[in-house]
Amino acid sequence: MPISEQLRALEKIAGRSLCTVSDLSGEEVDAVFHAARLIASGTVPLADELRGRVVLTAFFEPSTRTRLSFESAAARLGAGVISIADVSSTAIGKGESISDFGRMLDSYADVIVVRHAQAGVIDEIRAHGLGKPLMNAGNGWGEHPTQALCDWLVLEDWMRREDAARPAAMRLGIIGIPRRMRSIRSFLLLGCARFRDLIRDMTFVSSEPDCLDRELAAALAEAGIPIAFERDLDRVVGEFDAVYINSLALRDGHYVAENAEYRLDGGTPLKREAVILHPLARGAELSSDLDNTRHNLYFKQAEWAVPVRQALLLAVCGQIDALAEAYSASSRR
Amino acid sequence: MPISEQLRALEKIAGRSLCTVSDLSGEEVDAVFHAARLIASGTVPLADELRGRVVLTAFFEPSTRTRLSFESAAARLGAGVISIADVSSTAIGKGESISDFGRMLDSYADVIVVRHAQAGVIDEIRAHGLGKPLMNAGNGWGEHPTQALCDWLVLEDWMRREDAARPAAMRLGIIGIPRRMRSIRSFLLLGCARFRDLIRDMTFVSSEPDCLDRELAAALAEAGIPIAFERDLDRVVGEFDAVYINSLALRDGHYVAENAEYRLDGGTPLKREAVILHPLARGAELSSDLDNTRHNLYFKQAEWAVPVRQALLLAVCGQIDALAEAYSASSRR
Amino acid sequence: MPISEQLRALEKIAGRSLCTVSDLSGEEVDAVFHAARLIASGTVPLADELRGRVVLTAFFEPSTRTRLSFESAAARLGAGVISIADVSSTAIGKGESISDFGRMLDSYADVIVVRHAQAGVIDEIRAHGLGKPLMNAGNGWGEHPTQALCDWLVLEDWMRREDAARPAAMRLGIIGIPRRMRSIRSFLLLGCARFRDLIRDMTFVSSEPDCLDRELAAALAEAGIPIAFERDLDRVVGEFDAVYINSLALRDGHYVAENAEYRLDGGTPLKREAVILHPLARGAELSSDLDNTRHNLYFKQAEWAVPVRQALLLAVCGQIDALAEAYSASSRR
């Protein structure tokens, strides 16, 4: 995609919300990735693009990684950060309407980042806000779109590395219960919508036979991705080029570790070049034995947490002048 | 008031505390309103007037709206914000003296914003601090002066709107227990001191016969405002030009919703042009039926939360150069 | 020490961690003190030296003074501050490994400030981080190096004051249980390593006979400081030039007030010129009777909390240009 189109795609993101991965077109995803890569490379001299702006993080569920990566991204761009950490003590914790709450957020901040245990609350806030961009930082069993952007940026980098012994299209293994975990849901939906060409097929490894729901099954079918289900990890793990593992599942409003029989460690018979994705923090399902191996792609996912969110914040706030300059400088080289 | 006097009034606020509405003279209130209006209009290019300064928010009682509006105002001006959210875990929660605590706040911050459930603590901190400006963000049944400034700014705007069918002086209804709720107390005291000319009379609607205390009764008497008491809302609500409603009351250290028999909704026989004020967050006493009606002035109150506090922070920190320039620019037009 | 050496010493601190007082050489301590004094004097025009940088405060134990003084120092230099206040809700509170946690902190921040109830966690995070500077804000019974820097800066100032009737070397009284309290430990270790010439001897006043541990005893022996032990404060208090008092002790993971029989107040038979140090917040062991006397050096300790940490943050981030200019300006005078 030529630079002028990249910039046009970024410009179109200004003022918009990111509640689901489908809120961004394929071109917009590409443009965000390009911007994140430039930012991470250090060639964009950023410091106060968001000076005078306020980013509000409202976490109705506690979170460390997601909250801090949004706050770090905002702070690196010079934005002020204000934060609702203990939502139980707020009026909404005591029965204030979502409508009043959304209106309040809008009048205090320029960008609003929300995590909530109930999938529907994000859309309710969006419907009742006055129009400030809303970023979904995880909504129940719904989505976690910024995580999926980090995941696919890393996978795309890996697939396109020229020196890598990697296939033209991946055989992808998914360990977990996609319909019960937002990070896998967003990963799958973004994969179907934008990265179809990188995927040969998918195998879902789960102790729960019914691990997809209608939305996910429909997206996979529409994308024409061949899928299979398997209970026995050992039987199939050696076929995967990439494995996404996550043992958390949301049941009755609680996050529980499930699928305890599935565990990746130094003894797992992975394909020699296979890579592992995990949306940290991890539990017992992913051994630190694998940290210093070529399989480890999960630390890379974490490294992109801040630059991807910096790119999104710049785009959403319509502050892409520094990126435009860096683009034209890099095109002159 | 000519611009040179406005600026002189703002200058005089530098370094001072705002613990009660009586800490500001009438001229100073006018100057703060003028500054807030300019800021809200977007004609003052603000971003880093408070760069390098630190605003500390110490909330001994949880609060979302008031805390975030102070923090947003500080952040929009480039100040750093540091915060004590969970006071129970602090040394003062464990018995440190107010004197030591006040001294500590003074050495860490340039402006100190305090909320506390006991009315007297604000004055104690003020007495023991080294002299940094202190902002009262609500002290028990005491006062909530920054809220009252938002309330009266909105009421004044409404009264002075040229196209409005509004009276020369309002008949004001107050629903709630003023002696038990700081926001109404500050509203009344500021009304008596500065906006007497906008008020024709006041009626207090409450299930508690003795809803004023000596301070409030004296202020109303001194201002010469005719007052009446009434239990039956329906009998009088049709006479009011403006109604201030709030069901919260502080009893034995707890905020409780009272006066449950009083409720404003789409069926309330309000005067056609009457407006409603409410210092959100609201409960059942104010129906969302009224949100999209001409009676709704409470959303406007909320919209002023940040600009009024920006004006105060600039004045208290003595950073009014940007305002001075905007004043002279607007006077040339 | 000439200015060029001061600056060289500060430069050498860039990128390094401060986990124990032994992480700084004597020259580096001097250079930090000199920088802190310049900053406190107001002659260094600081505001945005750390613009675009992020300081992360991770407090696994609650703290008000130490956390706020780090955050205030960072904010005054224009850094963004992000914060983990309630660690119980984080993944590490739920079993995430220190290694993963350290790696996460590194990818979100430029400087990491950690307090933890277990002495060993700081070193674990340091071992597993990718290399961002780590500041120890108190680790169990381990150390509290930034507090010790404030303590000795104040003591050195007092000892070198020309108008003071003070001895060439102090007789120092230590009331408390050094092996159970990190602030005294760091104070003693820094005294032995760097301020030996200011100390004539030390007397430990404690109800616990065995109040030192091997590390402290070895450091005192190596420095050749004569030491004595005493249970009866009244018998010795009149001999001290300086008294460091602290009643807190860490026992079985809890901070408890001990040594309740030792208390300094207006009736204590102190030497006329003696000074008292206390790493606030204080309890009953130090009466406010003494606040307005010449004995009070503890308020001065508190006043240095922010400038000492500003100097450290500038040095650790390698941002000493403003200091260099102020040095050369002051040398021209």
Side-chain angles (χ1 to χ4, degrees):
Chain A
M1 197 160 62
I3 283 160
S4 59
E5 283 177 39
Q6 300 259 12
L7 289 172
R8 221 168 303 135
L10 282 181
E11 270 168 20
K12 288 201 315 202
I13 299 175
R16 280 164 47 195
S17 292
L18 178 59
C19 294
T20 149
V21 292
S22 65
D23 286 332
L24 293 179
S25 72
E27 288 71 33
E28 288 161 357
V29 171
D30 287 350
V32 168
F33 282 13
H34 190 77
R37 287 179 182 121
L38 267 179
I39 291 168
S41 73
T43 56
V44 195
L46 296 168
D48 57 3
E49 276 65 24
L50 302 189
R51 196 167 57 124
R53 312 253 178 160
V54 174
V55 174
L56 186 153
T57 58
F59 277 69
F60 291 76
E61 271 184 3
S63 154
T64 306
R65 290 175 179 267
T66 304
R67 179 177 63 83
L68 289 180
S69 58
F70 268 111
E71 293 183 359
S72 176
R76 286 193 191 289
L77 298 169
V81 176
I82 63 177
S83 193
I84 306 178
D86 177 15
V87 178
S88 63
S89 70
T90 63
I92 200 169
K94 295 169 190 157
E96 187 181 13
S97 73
I98 295 282
S99 159
D100 282 13
F101 189 76
R103 178 177 290 274
M104 172 184 74
L105 299 184
D106 263 351
S107 74
Y108 293 169
D110 302 295
V111 180
I112 298 152
V113 180
V114 174
R115 167 168 290 193
H116 199 285
Q118 287 171 276
V121 167
I122 291 280
D123 290 329
E124 272 190 79
I125 294 177
R126 186 183 203 168
H128 289 296
L130 299 173
K132 299 288 173 61
L134 193 63
M135 304 280 235
N136 179 359
N139 62 323
W141 45 260
E143 286 212 36
H144 195 348
T146 57
Q147 175 70 45
L149 290 170
C150 297
D151 300 343
W152 278 105
L153 189 151
V154 166
L155 263 185
E156 188 184 57
D157 273 353
W158 175 69
M159 289 291 285
R160 302 211 165 132
R161 248 173 46 209
E162 297 195 1
D163 61 320
R166 38 101 198 95
M170 293 179 280
R171 307 200 66 181
L172 195 51
I174 308 288
I175 307 175
I177 308 173
R179 72 185 180 92
R180 292 194 185 278
M181 202 56 210
R182 59 191 171 221
S183 49
I184 307 192
R185 178 186 302 276
S186 285
F187 176 81
L188 292 177
L189 293 176
L190 185 57
C192 292
R194 176 66 197 92
F195 298 100
R196 175 65 188 90
D197 59 315
L198 300 181
I199 304 166
R200 183 172 135 198
D201 57 35
M202 286 193 196
T203 301
F204 295 92
V205 181
S206 174
S207 57
E208 180 157 322
D210 197 23
C211 69
L212 301 178
D213 56 16
R214 221 174 282 180
E215 182 192 22
L216 289 170
L220 291 161
E222 199 193 333
I225 296 175
I227 61 173
F229 298 89
E230 177 60 55
R231 287 194 77 119
D232 185 353
L233 178 62
D234 286 345
R235 253 178 43 98
V236 289
V237 72
E239 298 166 7
F240 300 145
D241 299 302
V243 190
Y244 191 121
I245 183 166
N246 180 9
S247 65
L248 283 187
L250 181 58
R251 283 198 192 271
D252 305 326
H254 296 280
Y255 296 92
V256 289
E258 301 211 344
N259 282 298
E261 63 267 45
Y262 304 124
R263 180 184 151 88
L264 300 180
D265 60 27
T268 306
L270 290 159
K271 193 183 279 193
R272 191 169 173 281
E273 300 290 338
V275 287
I276 300 167
L277 292 149
H278 189 293
L280 309 175
R282 63 177 151 181
E285 73 277 14
L286 177 59
S287 167
S288 60
D289 288 1
L290 291 160
D291 290 2
N292 296 316
T293 68
R294 72 176 73 202
H295 304 305
N296 176 353
L297 215 58
Y298 40 89
F299 284 173
K300 280 241 176 299
Q301 288 167 276
E303 283 169 28
W304 284 98
V306 176
V308 162
R309 289 177 177 100
Q310 283 180 290
L312 284 169
L313 288 173
L314 287 173
V316 151
C317 292
Q319 294 293 309
I320 60 170
D321 288 356
L323 289 170
E325 277 174 43
Y327 284 168
S328 60
S330 72
S331 72
R332 280 195 300 270
R333 281 199 299 269
Chain B
M1 195 162 60
I3 283 160
S4 60
E5 282 178 39
Q6 300 259 12
L7 287 172
R8 221 170 301 135
L10 282 181
E11 270 168 22
K12 288 201 315 203
I13 299 176
R16 281 163 47 194
S17 292
L18 178 59
C19 295
T20 148
V21 292
S22 64
D23 286 331
L24 293 179
S25 72
E27 287 71 32
E28 288 161 357
V29 170
D30 287 349
V32 168
F33 281 12
H34 190 77
R37 288 181 181 119
L38 267 180
I39 292 168
S41 73
T43 56
V44 195
L46 296 167
D48 57 4
E49 276 64 25
L50 302 188
R51 196 168 56 126
R53 313 255 177 156
V54 175
V55 173
L56 188 153
T57 58
F59 277 69
F60 292 76
E61 269 184 5
S63 154
T64 306
R65 292 176 177 265
T66 305
R67 179 177 62 83
L68 289 180
S69 58
F70 268 111
E71 294 183 359
S72 177
R76 286 194 191 287
L77 298 169
V81 175
I82 63 177
S83 191
I84 306 179
D86 176 16
V87 178
S88 63
S89 69
T90 63
I92 201 169
K94 296 167 188 157
E96 186 181 14
S97 73
I98 295 282
S99 159
D100 282 14
F101 188 77
R103 179 176 289 275
M104 172 183 74
L105 298 184
D106 263 350
S107 72
Y108 294 168
D110 302 295
V111 178
I112 298 152
V113 180
V114 175
R115 168 169 289 194
H116 199 287
Q118 286 171 276
V121 166
I122 291 279
D123 289 330
E124 271 190 79
I125 294 176
R126 185 182 202 168
H128 289 296
L130 299 173
K132 299 289 172 62
L134 193 63
M135 304 280 234
N136 180 0
N139 63 325
W141 45 260
E143 286 211 36
H144 195 350
T146 57
Q147 174 70 47
L149 290 170
C150 297
D151 301 343
W152 278 105
L153 188 151
V154 167
L155 262 184
E156 189 184 57
D157 273 353
W158 175 70
M159 289 291 284
R160 302 212 165 130
R161 248 172 47 206
E162 297 195 2
D163 61 319
R166 36 104 199 93
M170 293 178 281
R171 307 200 65 180
L172 196 52
I174 308 287
I175 308 176
I177 308 173
R179 71 184 181 91
R180 293 196 184 275
M181 202 56 209
R182 60 193 170 218
S183 49
I184 306 191
R185 179 185 303 274
S186 285
F187 175 81
L188 292 176
L189 293 175
L190 185 57
C192 292
R194 176 65 197 93
F195 298 99
R196 174 65 187 90
D197 58 316
L198 302 183
I199 304 166
R200 183 172 137 198
D201 57 36
M202 285 193 197
T203 301
F204 295 92
V205 181
S206 174
S207 57
E208 181 158 321
D210 197 22
C211 68
L212 300 177
D213 56 16
R214 219 173 285 179
E215 182 194 23
L216 289 170
L220 291 161
E222 200 193 332
I225 296 174
I227 62 174
F229 299 88
E230 177 61 55
R231 287 193 77 120
D232 185 353
L233 179 60
D234 286 344
R235 255 178 42 100
V236 288
V237 71
E239 299 166 8
F240 300 146
D241 300 301
V243 189
Y244 190 121
I245 183 166
N246 179 8
S247 65
L248 283 186
L250 181 60
R251 285 199 190 270
D252 306 325
H254 296 281
Y255 296 91
V256 289
E258 301 210 344
N259 282 297
E261 65 267 45
Y262 305 124
R263 179 185 152 91
L264 301 179
D265 60 29
T268 306
L270 291 160
K271 193 184 278 194
R272 191 169 173 280
E273 301 288 339
V275 287
I276 301 168
L277 291 150
H278 189 294
L280 310 173
R282 62 176 150 181
E285 73 277 14
L286 177 59
S287 167
S288 59
D289 288 1
L290 291 160
D291 291 2
N292 296 315
T293 69
R294 73 176 71 201
H295 304 305
N296 177 352
L297 215 59
Y298 39 90
F299 283 173
K300 280 244 178 295
Q301 289 168 276
E303 283 168 31
W304 285 97
V306 176
V308 162
R309 290 177 177 99
Q310 282 179 290
L312 284 169
L313 288 173
L314 287 172
V316 152
C317 292
Q319 296 291 310
I320 58 169
D321 289 355
L323 288 170
E325 277 174 43
Y327 284 169
S328 59
S330 72
S331 72
R332 279 195 300 272
R333 280 200 298 270
Chain C
M1 194 161 61
I3 283 161
S4 60
E5 284 178 35
Q6 300 258 13
L7 288 172
R8 223 169 301 136
L10 281 182
E11 270 169 20
K12 287 200 318 202
I13 298 175
R16 281 164 47 194
S17 292
L18 178 60
C19 294
T20 149
V21 291
S22 64
D23 284 332
L24 293 178
S25 72
E27 287 72 30
E28 288 162 356
V29 170
D30 287 350
V32 168
F33 282 13
H34 190 78
R37 288 180 181 120
L38 267 179
I39 291 168
S41 73
T43 57
V44 195
L46 296 168
D48 58 3
E49 277 65 27
L50 302 189
R51 194 168 57 124
R53 313 251 177 161
V54 174
V55 174
L56 187 154
T57 58
F59 277 70
F60 292 76
E61 270 184 5
S63 154
T64 305
R65 291 175 179 268
T66 304
R67 178 176 64 81
L68 289 180
S69 59
F70 268 111
E71 293 183 359
S72 176
R76 285 194 191 287
L77 298 168
V81 176
I82 63 177
S83 191
I84 306 179
D86 176 14
V87 177
S88 64
S89 69
T90 64
I92 202 169
K94 296 166 189 159
E96 185 180 15
S97 73
I98 295 283
S99 159
D100 282 12
F101 188 77
R103 178 177 291 276
M104 172 183 75
L105 299 184
D106 263 351
S107 72
Y108 293 167
D110 301 295
V111 179
I112 298 152
V113 180
V114 175
R115 167 167 290 194
H116 199 286
Q118 286 172 274
V121 165
I122 290 281
D123 289 330
E124 272 190 77
I125 293 176
R126 184 183 203 168
H128 289 296
L130 300 172
K132 298 290 172 57
L134 194 62
M135 304 280 235
N136 180 359
N139 62 324
W141 44 259
E143 287 212 34
H144 195 349
T146 56
Q147 174 71 48
L149 290 170
C150 297
D151 301 342
W152 278 105
L153 188 152
V154 167
L155 262 185
E156 188 184 58
D157 273 354
W158 174 69
M159 288 291 284
R160 302 213 165 128
R161 247 173 47 208
E162 297 196 1
D163 60 321
R166 38 106 199 87
M170 295 177 280
R171 307 200 67 180
L172 196 51
I174 308 287
I175 308 176
I177 308 173
R179 71 185 180 91
R180 294 195 183 276
M181 202 54 210
R182 59 192 171 220
S183 49
I184 306 192
R185 179 185 302 275
S186 285
F187 176 80
L188 292 176
L189 293 176
L190 186 57
C192 292
R194 176 66 197 92
F195 298 100
R196 174 64 187 91
D197 59 314
L198 301 182
I199 303 165
R200 183 172 137 198
D201 59 35
M202 286 193 197
T203 301
F204 294 91
V205 181
S206 175
S207 56
E208 179 157 321
D210 197 23
C211 68
L212 300 178
D213 56 16
R214 221 173 284 179
E215 182 193 23
L216 289 170
L220 291 160
E222 198 192 333
I225 296 174
I227 63 174
F229 298 88
E230 178 61 55
R231 287 194 76 120
D232 185 353
L233 178 63
D234 287 344
R235 253 176 43 97
V236 289
V237 71
E239 299 166 7
F240 300 146
D241 300 302
V243 190
Y244 191 119
I245 183 165
N246 180 9
S247 65
L248 283 186
L250 182 58
R251 287 200 189 268
D252 307 325
H254 295 280
Y255 296 91
V256 288
E258 301 211 346
N259 283 298
E261 64 267 46
Y262 305 124
R263 179 184 152 90
L264 301 179
D265 60 28
T268 306
L270 290 160
K271 193 184 278 191
R272 191 168 173 281
E273 301 289 337
V275 287
I276 300 168
L277 290 149
H278 189 292
L280 308 175
R282 62 177 151 179
E285 74 276 13
L286 177 60
S287 167
S288 60
D289 288 1
L290 292 159
D291 291 2
N292 296 316
T293 68
R294 71 177 72 202
H295 304 304
N296 177 353
L297 215 58
Y298 40 90
F299 283 173
K300 280 240 175 298
Q301 289 167 275
E303 282 168 30
W304 285 97
V306 176
V308 162
R309 290 177 176 98
Q310 283 180 290
L312 284 168
L313 287 173
L314 287 173
V316 152
C317 292
Q319 295 293 310
I320 59 170
D321 289 356
L323 289 169
E325 276 174 43
Y327 284 169
S328 60
S330 72
S331 73
R332 279 195 302 271
R333 279 199 300 269

